[in-house]
Amino acid sequence: MPAPLPPTVTLPATAHEPAVEIPAIGQGTWHMGEGLAPRQDEVRALQHGLTLGLTLIDTAEMYADGEAEAVVGEALVGRRDEAFLVSKVYPWNAGRDSAIAACEASLQRLGTDHLDLYLLHWPGDIPLEETLEAFERLREAGKIRRFGVSNFDVDEMACLHALPGAGDCAVNQVLYHLGSRGIEHALLPWQRARGIPTMAYCPLAQAGQLRRELLTHPTLLEVASSLGITPTQLLLAWAIRPVAGPDGERRRDVIAIPKATGL
């Protein structure tokens, strides 16, 4: 009997790229490259994830000052075509020319000639028009396939959406897990109304008291036990649960990116 296909989320077509299906659960790399775990263990974790179908890998120039990108690059040697690769630019590097240089540096650390998705890490002082211009230049040069944003609230998304070319924004990557549901009030409905998927970082909560409380909550333990899964699996399933669209059809539009190692 063949293994079940992993759940996916569809990134809508843009003016230059067709719609693409990506895994609803990817691999995060925040805190990789910091020496918290042996480098080869981090590399092997990412490679094992690729083998299991977790082909979306998310990183950023911020993570360990680029060392996380280097870890990802090592993991993708000979396997780049298997991955949907995402990285992020600092807001102060997101200018008309500085974003070009930042992207080139990320590509060099990653050992690749293009990113599948490039995100503005959070809103900054550089006008969004400049960042969008840089993203378009990178796309024209074949350095990125799509662009998106991260840590934008609903007002910031509305400002972005009003700009020429911003309709091709692929995702907004934000904090979202069972213990942090603030985006459900305004941001998530706003994005769903416009067909913009959400990428959820820390879907298992950040390490510490909140994660411990979630993973040991009696109700969570009871539901997980009744389903024959672990509390961690339940939290991920909750994050990527399908919802009814405007046409009534249920589909997934949240991508969860837990860290690829348990450290």
Side-chain angles (χ1 to χ4, degrees):
M1 184 175 179
L5 295 174
T8 61
V9 169
T10 300
L11 296 188
T14 70
H16 307 283
E17 292 287 332
V20 61
E21 286 193 0
I22 60 176
I25 298 177
Q27 302 190 76
T29 62
W30 191 19
H31 295 307
M32 281 191 176
E34 296 180 1
L36 299 176
R39 187 183 186 93
Q40 280 307 306
D41 287 355
E42 294 177 333
V43 169
R44 281 192 291 267
L46 290 168
Q47 292 173 333
H48 185 57
L50 279 177
T51 301
L52 294 176
L54 304 180
T55 54
L56 186 154
I57 298 178
D58 175 83
T59 191
E61 67 172 343
M62 183 191 83
Y63 300 164
D65 292 326
E67 280 303 305
E69 289 180 322
V71 171
V72 173
E74 191 172 340
L76 291 182
V77 171
R79 304 186 68 173
R80 173 63 182 93
D81 291 345
E82 298 177 42
F84 186 94
L85 186 54
V86 185
S87 194
K88 301 185 268 304
V89 60
Y90 276 123
W92 51 83
N93 282 343
R96 185 173 289 108
D97 296 316
S98 57
I100 308 297
C103 185
E104 292 283 6
S106 287
L107 292 175
Q108 184 172 2
R109 288 187 292 266
L110 289 161
T112 186
D113 62 358
H114 75 280
L115 293 168
D116 296 290
L117 179 59
Y118 198 35
L119 309 181
L120 173 61
H121 208 148
W122 64 86
D125 295 329
I126 292 174
L128 287 172
E129 293 90 338
E130 266 199 53
T131 303
L132 290 178
E133 179 185 332
F135 285 168
E136 177 59 16
R137 288 170 59 197
L138 287 166
R139 187 203 62 76
E140 290 176 347
K143 304 294 184 180
I144 67 173
R145 298 269 173 84
R146 285 175 166 82
F147 75 87
V149 295
S150 180
N151 296 301
F152 271 48
D153 63 23
V154 67
D155 291 336
E156 290 157 344
M157 287 298 291
C159 289
L160 171 69
H161 202 66
L163 299 175
D168 281 345
C169 177
V171 301
N172 182 19
Q173 184 181 125
V174 292
L175 174 69
Y176 186 48
H177 58 76
L178 184 59
S180 181
R181 303 177 64 177
I183 68 169
E184 294 177 358
H185 296 293
L187 180 62
L188 200 53
W190 188 95
Q191 290 185 199
R192 283 178 169 157
R194 291 157 182 80
I196 303 172
T198 298
M199 195 173 284
Y201 66 78
C202 295
L204 304 177
Q206 293 185 25
Q209 182 64 25
L210 179 55
R211 177 180 288 187
R212 287 192 294 272
E213 289 176 359
L214 275 178
L215 293 177
T216 59
H217 193 283
T219 301
L220 189 75
L221 293 174
E222 180 182 349
V223 173
S225 178
S226 71
L227 295 171
I229 61 177
T230 67
T232 297
Q233 289 172 319
L234 181 59
L235 286 175
L236 290 175
W238 178 88
I240 66 168
R241 66 200 184 280
V243 296
D247 57 2
E249 183 179 350
R250 293 179 66 80
R251 60 176 62 87
R252 289 182 171 84
D253 62 0
V254 174
I255 305 138
I257 47 170
K259 189 183 176 188
T261 68
L263 294 173

